[in-house]
Amino acid sequence: LSNNQVVKLAQKIAQSTDSYDGDRFFTTVDGVQRATPLFLVLLCVELSDLLFAVDSIPAVFGVTEDPFLVFTSNIFAIAGLRALYQILSKAVSQLEYLDTAVAVVLGFIGVKMVGEVVGYELPEEASLAIVLGILGVGVGASVLNNRKKEAEEAANSDESGGD
């Protein structure tokens, strides 16, 4: 772990210790305040949020070129996704076709960006409608598939309960 680039960066920013001190980010060792490994965890989480925001900028530019929208969407992504993680992780696990829908959305955005280079412009409203439509189809297909599975399980339990 000491060869990890994030750990090395954190040690350059703040002197750190190898031991935890309860739930504290910093502790005092020999009269000097030092960061605990918990601070390194926080630094990794915040760094991943920053990388996620930077990584999503091209996708947002695929939908709009308005800098205000790009900036605010990334700020809300950083602020909101971690808070919603527990809810989203459970919901995503139940949405079987969401991964496919997101892949199609990313493909659409890539094609749209290439189209803009060659001079084809698609209005922002149309882009948003297409993205929402694709995601809606993915979520809808997942919900229908889940209902079908539940109905089949209920029918199977009724059949096995009658024997």
Side-chain angles (χ1 to χ4, degrees), residues 30 78 159-160:
D30 298 329
I78 291 171
E159 288 175 8
S160 63

Side-chain angles (χ1 to χ4, degrees), residues 41-116:
V41 171
L42 176 66
L43 186 64
C44 288
V45 168
E46 295 303 324
L47 186 60
S48 67
D49 283 348
L50 179 65
L51 290 174
F52 173 76
V54 171
D55 182 48
S56 67
I57 289 173
V60 176
F61 271 119
V63 175
T64 181
E65 292 184 12
D66 183 355
F68 177 74
L69 289 178
V70 173
F71 176 74
T72 55
S73 68
N74 281 298
I75 293 299
F76 284 119
I78 291 171
L81 283 181
R82 191 174 337 118
L84 294 173
Y85 176 77
Q86 294 297 326
I87 296 169
L88 291 175
S89 65
K90 184 174 181 178
V92 166
S93 69
Q94 295 175 354
L95 300 174
E96 182 178 348
Y97 300 114
L98 187 60
D99 289 343
T100 304
V102 169
V104 172
V105 165
L106 292 175
F108 163 72
I109 290 172
V111 168
K112 182 181 181 294
M113 292 176 80
V114 169
E116 289 176 356

Side-chain angles (χ1 to χ4, degrees), residues 2 4-5 8 10-12 22 45 59-61 65 68 77 91-92 98 100 109 130-131 137 140 149 154 156 161-162:
S2 63
N4 185 298
Q5 294 298 322
K8 287 181 181 179
Q11 288 174 340
K12 285 182 183 178
V45 168
V60 176
F61 271 119
E65 292 184 12
F68 177 74
V92 166
L98 187 60
T100 304
I109 290 172
I130 291 170
V131 167
V137 167
K149 286 180 182 177
N156 288 340

